[in-house]
Amino acid sequence: MIFISQSRSQQISSFLVTTLFISVLAAGCTRTSGSSTAIPVSNQTSEKPQLMRLGYQKGGIILIARQRGELERQLLTQKIKVEWSGPFDRCATLLQALNGNRADIGSCGDIPTISGIAAGQPLCIGSLQRPNPNALGNAIVVRSSSSINKPADLVGKKVAVNQGGAGEYLLLKVLEKEHIPKEQVQRVYLSPNDAAPALYQGSIDAWAVWEPYVSIAELEHNARRITTTHPAPTYGLMVVRTDTAKENPAAVKTTLTALSQDGEWLNQNSDAAADFMVKELKISEAVAKQVIKNRGQESYVFPNNQDIANLQKTADWLLEQKILSQRIDIAGAVCPLK
């Protein structure tokens, strides 16, 4: 057994402590050539990404964005995580998802959106696509064997429309343009899933509808159009839950901007976009390509004063037609994203 004096023990302890301190200090100051590989120590946890839930219909840029994947990658770099909800068969069911807090942003037409806001749904207008007078995305279709060849032939007939939506608006505007009293045409309120078989089986005479249902009816069921261009082209809207817009305006604006970039990509890559639609909706390639062609260019921007005035005019017209039960202020329905 070896004994060390107390004085000697203290000297050794002092030496060891000093050596350890110098070693730690040297390690902390060491640098390798190029960038440092040391991992900094932090007591802060990494920031949790904000969640943005996107609802999509059977068509449009949100569906394309989901399949393409670039939107998710881009937004994740901005600390925004994306979740998807859909596909929905029409705007009404998409707006219900927004209203029920199952989605934050969705693409919808101006007519059902205005109807939803007028009904008290907590929604606001984020961005929009301005009307394209030459687009063929909406039409009144009939069976190939039908005797109906023009709007005047609809008098006394049953026409399927979605209540307070794009179909009812199209029918009423066509009748107005042709000076046909709306009371002379019977409106039958049906969803697309119910209207399609009703038309093909003969329960109704015509169907006022939008893409992709127009192309499916034409190419897969031999239906034909009795209208070409829309007499009152409509806006496409990115609709946002009001609470989401108020609580996360920056994240909403970033997401809407990213979606507009997917629209620009679609315009330059229509064949690839059609392939995405085939995979997502299980429709034929011919239908997908015609849908994209009929819808025309996709270009979403934030609304300006002229857009607000145009949408207000549409809302006031819907009130005159008794489709809305009360007047709404469009300017007040624009999302507070500034």
Side-chain angles (χ1 to χ4, degrees), residues 12 15 97 123 147 175 178 181-182 190 205 274 301 313 315 320:
I12 293 172
F15 174 78
L123 309 170
S147 61
L175 297 179
E178 300 293 327
K182 61 184 179 181
L190 295 174
D205 302 295
V301 297
K313 184 178 180 180
E320 292 173 4

Side-chain angles (χ1 to χ4, degrees), residues 47-52 70-82 248 250-258 261:
E47 182 182 352
K48 184 179 180 181
Q50 297 184 72
L51 177 63
M52 201 60 61
E70 181 60 30
L71 181 84
E72 288 184 80
R73 291 188 289 271
Q74 180 181 346
L75 291 182
L76 197 55
T77 66
Q78 304 295 317
K79 303 294 185 183
I80 301 171
K81 181 182 178 182
V82 175
N248 301 299
V252 169
K253 193 169 186 178
T254 298
T255 303
L256 294 175
T257 300
Q261 294 170 5

Side-chain angles (χ1 to χ4, degrees), residues 99-175:
N99 185 40
N101 195 18
R102 299 190 302 277
D104 296 300
I105 298 175
S107 175
C108 196
D110 57 358
I111 308 305
T113 300
I114 290 171
S115 296
I117 294 172
Q121 294 182 343
L123 309 170
C124 62
I125 299 168
S127 60
L128 52 82
Q129 176 167 278
R130 295 183 175 120
N132 180 356
N134 299 317
L136 299 173
N138 301 66
I140 298 177
V141 296
V142 299
R143 293 181 299 279
S144 60
S145 59
S146 174
S147 61
I148 300 173
N149 295 302
K150 56 186 183 299
D153 297 333
L154 294 173
V155 173
K157 300 294 194 295
K158 298 178 181 179
V159 182
V161 298
N162 58 322
Q163 186 172 11
E168 185 169 26
Y169 182 71
L170 170 62
L171 175 63
L172 291 177
K173 279 295 184 180
V174 167
L175 297 179

Side-chain angles (χ1 to χ4, degrees), residues 208-229:
V209 71
W210 56 93
E211 291 290 9
Y213 301 105
V214 174
S215 291
I216 292 173
E218 286 185 304
L219 299 181
E220 296 185 358
H221 299 276
N222 204 27
R224 55 183 172 81
R225 294 169 174 262
I226 63 165
T227 60
T228 52
T229 56

